[in-house]
Amino acid sequence: MPQRSLLVLGSHGRGLLGRMLLGSVSNAVAADPPCPVAVIRPHTHAVPAEATDLPVIVGFDGSAASRAALAYGAVHAELRKSTLMVVHAFQPVDQRTAGPISEQTARRTDWLRDIVRDAEETHPALNATCTVTDHRPAQALVDWSTAARLVVVGSGGRRAHSGSVSQAVLHHSWAPVVVVPQP
């Protein structure tokens, strides 16, 4: 059964530093969320409920937390009739052992397509795409957030720290962000 709770937090963002940093309450709650937590910062763009042209972006690395984020994002995209875009960012490994970056990307793309196909089977009305990039995960998600309805990321719980992807996305996303706790 899908989770029905959502905690929505804002960030006051007073002054230049305040606009750059997330409030301490939002930051602390999102680092170890009790349920999915939406953080809306003052600079995020407003999206009318009827607008379906902006995608829901989900950061996916294969972890349990990212699988929970994918499930949450799929439900949200399906309800809003928006496209779900699953983004997987990775750091290429040594080409002598793993092959050229193009082959590494192709293998990860095939893997991600299978996962997205499973989400589409679970949510028949879902329109989903995937993208694989060799950029840093947080930067890739922030870049995609400029044209997104919502960005959904997983949280590793108490292990999350100020350098984690979810924290970086919370601080720099141009769209509202939902952090989904690890199941």
Side-chain angles (χ1 to χ4, degrees), residues 28-33 65 154-161 164 166-167 179-182:
V29 172
D32 189 18
S155 171
R158 293 213 176 269
R159 288 165 289 182
H161 54 81
S164 74
S166 62
Q167 291 292 309
V179 179
V180 180
Q182 183 169 311

Side-chain angles (χ1 to χ4, degrees), residues 5 10 13 33 45 47 55 60 67 75 78 85 93 104 113 136 138 143 147 149 155 157 163 169-170 182:
S5 298
H45 52 265
V47 179
F60 190 84
R67 290 180 187 277
V75 168
E78 186 177 41
M85 179 183 288
V93 295
Q104 293 179 50
R113 280 190 186 132
R136 292 182 176 271
D143 289 347
R149 165 184 288 284
S155 171
V169 172
L170 279 168
Q182 183 169 311

Side-chain angles (χ1 to χ4, degrees), residues 3-183:
Q3 182 129 359
R4 297 181 193 263
S5 298
L6 175 66
L7 178 60
V8 180
L9 300 171
S11 175
H12 54 74
R14 294 183 197 135
L16 178 60
L17 185 59
R19 283 192 299 273
M20 291 172 57
L21 300 175
L22 200 60
S24 59
V25 172
S26 299
N27 198 34
V29 172
D32 189 18
C35 63
V37 174
V39 178
I40 317 299
R41 295 182 57 207
H43 72 274
T44 57
H45 52 265
V47 179
E50 65 277 359
T52 60
D53 56 335
L54 294 177
V56 172
I57 306 293
V58 174
F60 190 84
D61 64 6
S63 67
S66 71
R67 290 180 187 277
L70 175 59
Y72 185 93
V75 168
H76 187 84
E78 186 177 41
L79 288 172
R80 297 285 183 242
K81 297 180 174 73
S82 293
T83 298
L84 175 72
M85 179 183 288
V86 183
V87 176
H88 174 70
F90 75 103
Q91 296 296 330
V93 295
D94 188 342
Q95 294 186 33
R96 293 172 293 197
T97 58
I101 293 173
S102 60
E103 288 180 16
Q104 293 179 50
T105 302
R107 283 192 300 274
R108 287 175 183 264
T109 300
D110 290 342
W111 166 74
L112 191 58
R113 280 190 186 132
D114 288 342
I115 290 165
V116 169
R117 201 171 298 121
D118 289 345
E120 288 175 318
E121 287 176 9
T122 305
H123 303 276
L126 182 64
N127 176 23
T129 65
C130 62
T131 187
V132 174
T133 180
D134 62 355
H135 292 86
R136 292 182 176 271
Q139 187 61 53
L141 293 171
V142 169
D143 289 347
W144 280 107
S145 77
T146 61
R149 165 184 288 284
L150 180 69
V151 178
V152 183
V153 293
S155 171
R158 293 213 176 269
R159 288 165 289 182
H161 54 81
S162 61
S164 74
V165 172
S166 62
Q167 291 292 309
V169 172
L170 279 168
H171 285 266
H172 302 289
S173 177
W174 293 98
V177 177
V178 173
V179 179
V180 180
Q182 183 169 311

